[in-house]
Amino acid sequence: MPRQPMDGIISAWGKILRGIKPNLSIELTRECPLRCPGCYAYGDHHLEGDVTLRSLADFKGEELVARVKALVKRHDPLHISIIGGEPLVRYRELGEILPWLSARRVYTNLVTSAVRPIPLEWAGLDRLLIAVSVDGLQPEHDARRSPATYDRILKHVAGHKVTVHCTVTRQQAQRTGYLEEFVRFWSAQEATRRIWFSLYTPQAGEVSDERLSDEDRRRVAAEILTLGPRYPKLEASRRMVLEGLLEPPGSPDECIFARTTHCLSADLQTVVTPCQLGGTPECSNCGCLAAAVLAAVGRHRLPGGIPVHRMLDWSEAIGRSVARIRSIGKPKTEDRPPRTIPVRAVTR
């Protein structure tokens, strides 16, 4: 997540007090040329009922641009995550959406595999963070994420400053020195601004090769803390690792990221619950970096000894009351897409 100055934090608190979630997450498209093992977005239970991401209608062209702009105007977020599918499938539409978001001073996190070139004109956009997902070192990554191979990524991020994001799985955690080799390689790349590690978050009851054991999680956290001082590009604050990754929120109701983020799938109407991961994530083994960062913030104590998360509880209670008052007399269809935008599913 882009680092927001104090005025951004104050603005977020103001929205919460008015019953508004300050963060918005959009699965921009159902399309993706990759077939990555363990991808949560395309799981059978990512969305509720029998609905899957690939079964939804999605949009393109001016219709997508208009719908996203209408959505942003309606929710007025301070921060927006654009995920997928693969957002760069809609790079032409993003060429209109991203400058518009920058002009509105919205912090934007674009998550991509860098499977295609990232337009150079995006490099100058204010408040845009481009996060490139990399699944480990080149042999493992290329096997999992082809056609978004290392060679393509290095070519497509040239001229940009990107954040490299790796979700650590058990296969990686079991190999001594693996994480340092990864950090060393990406720290040496001119295009790398920051390096982020998340831990693989399993769904409830999941048994898979990716799932980390408790011992794996402790070992990975210790290694990240050790690497931080030696590799400045690595995000490895002690509070974030020890209080976030190793002590994740016990449920979505305790997760600040889940509570402050409105998540929508590719039809721009279907809500992804209980958080961006969808399905039934096993919160006790959550490794989401955004959740970890905000969990660490939530445990911070304000003057007087009051933890931030307690202030959030009070603020949300006030916000719910304000939202109920604001909703009196408003039509129930308020959150539906504007009628002036025609509904048309994209099929290929």
Side-chain angles (χ1 to χ4, degrees):
M1 299 175 67
R3 294 177 176 181
Q4 300 184 19
M6 183 57 66
D7 61 341
I9 296 174
I10 294 172
S11 297
W13 220 279
K15 286 185 177 294
I16 293 169
L17 286 168
R18 301 198 308 274
I20 302 170
K21 291 187 177 183
N23 303 318
L24 179 64
S25 174
I26 299 176
E27 294 176 339
L28 192 69
T29 175
R30 65 182 181 180
E31 297 184 39
C32 182
L34 283 62
R35 295 293 185 272
C36 307
C39 178
Y40 67 85
Y42 291 103
D44 291 339
H45 304 293
H46 174 58
L47 303 175
E48 293 184 348
D50 296 328
V51 180
T52 64
L53 176 57
R54 293 194 190 278
S55 71
L56 292 178
D58 66 355
F59 308 96
K60 65 179 180 179
E62 287 303 315
E63 184 175 12
L64 176 59
V65 174
R67 283 179 171 270
V68 170
K69 287 183 176 181
L71 193 65
V72 171
K73 288 177 181 178
R74 186 159 64 251
H75 290 276
D76 191 26
L78 296 174
H79 178 278
I80 181 171
S81 294
I82 299 178
I83 56 178
E86 169 50 64
L88 288 182
V89 170
R90 300 285 183 255
Y91 73 94
R92 293 184 181 88
E93 293 86 343
L94 285 171
E96 295 186 49
I97 293 169
L98 295 178
W100 181 81
L101 290 171
S102 179
R104 287 180 64 92
R105 300 181 62 78
V106 177
Y107 289 93
T108 303
N109 183 22
L110 175 68
V111 181
T112 176
S113 66
V115 69
R116 71 166 318 281
I118 302 172
L120 284 175
E121 55 266 29
W122 297 359
L125 292 178
D126 187 33
R127 303 194 179 204
L128 172 64
L129 184 152
I130 299 174
V132 178
S133 300
V134 181
D135 282 358
L137 294 169
Q138 184 167 9
E140 294 76 34
H141 172 92
D142 286 2
R144 291 171 63 92
R145 284 195 167 249
S146 180
T149 60
Y150 258 55
D151 289 343
R152 283 198 178 191
I153 292 174
L154 293 171
K155 179 180 178 181
H156 294 164
V157 302
H160 291 274
K161 290 294 184 182
V162 303
T163 294
V164 173
H165 177 239
C166 178
T167 298
V168 180
T169 63
R170 189 159 201 263
Q171 298 98 320
Q172 298 163 6
Q174 292 291 302
R175 288 176 51 180
T176 302
Y178 190 96
L179 298 187
E180 181 168 11
E181 188 176 346
F182 179 90
V183 173
R184 185 188 305 119
F185 177 89
W186 286 105
S187 290
Q189 305 308 311
E190 184 178 352
T192 303
R193 183 190 302 275
R194 299 294 293 170
I195 300 171
W196 289 346
F197 280 125
S198 290
L199 306 182
Y200 181 79
T201 301
Q203 292 287 307
E206 176 183 334
V207 178
S208 67
D209 293 335
E210 284 76 23
R211 180 173 183 141
L212 296 155
S213 67
D214 291 342
E215 182 182 350
D216 292 331
R217 293 171 65 89
R218 288 191 293 270
R219 184 170 58 252
V220 169
E223 186 170 357
I224 292 173
L225 286 176
T226 300
L227 294 174
R230 289 186 281 147
Y231 297 94
K233 291 184 179 181
L234 176 62
E235 189 78 54
S237 74
R238 190 172 187 84
R239 180 182 293 272
M240 182 269 288
V241 174
L242 294 183
E243 296 185 12
L245 291 179
L246 285 187
E247 297 181 15
S251 71
D253 290 339
E254 299 174 19
C255 177
I256 295 178
F257 181 62
R259 290 163 59 180
T260 60
T261 305
H262 187 57
C263 304
L264 294 173
S265 198
D267 62 355
L268 305 185
Q269 294 184 68
T270 299
V271 178
V272 184
T273 60
C275 64
Q276 190 171 273
L277 294 176
T280 53
E282 195 169 287
C283 294
S284 60
N285 281 297
C286 178
C288 170
L289 181 66
V293 170
L294 291 180
V297 171
R299 293 184 179 115
H300 178 74
R301 292 188 177 275
L302 301 168
I306 301 173
V308 171
H309 71 81
R310 185 62 61 204
M311 289 293 294
L312 176 63
D313 293 341
W314 297 335
S315 299
E316 283 187 327
I318 294 171
R320 285 192 292 270
S321 297
V322 172
R324 282 195 295 269
I325 294 172
R326 288 169 52 227
S327 67
I328 296 174
K330 289 188 177 182
K332 295 181 180 180
T333 57
E334 180 187 11
D335 286 336
R336 294 180 184 173
R339 291 185 180 180
T340 54
I341 301 174
V343 178
R344 174 175 56 82
V346 174
T347 57
R348 294 205 168 185

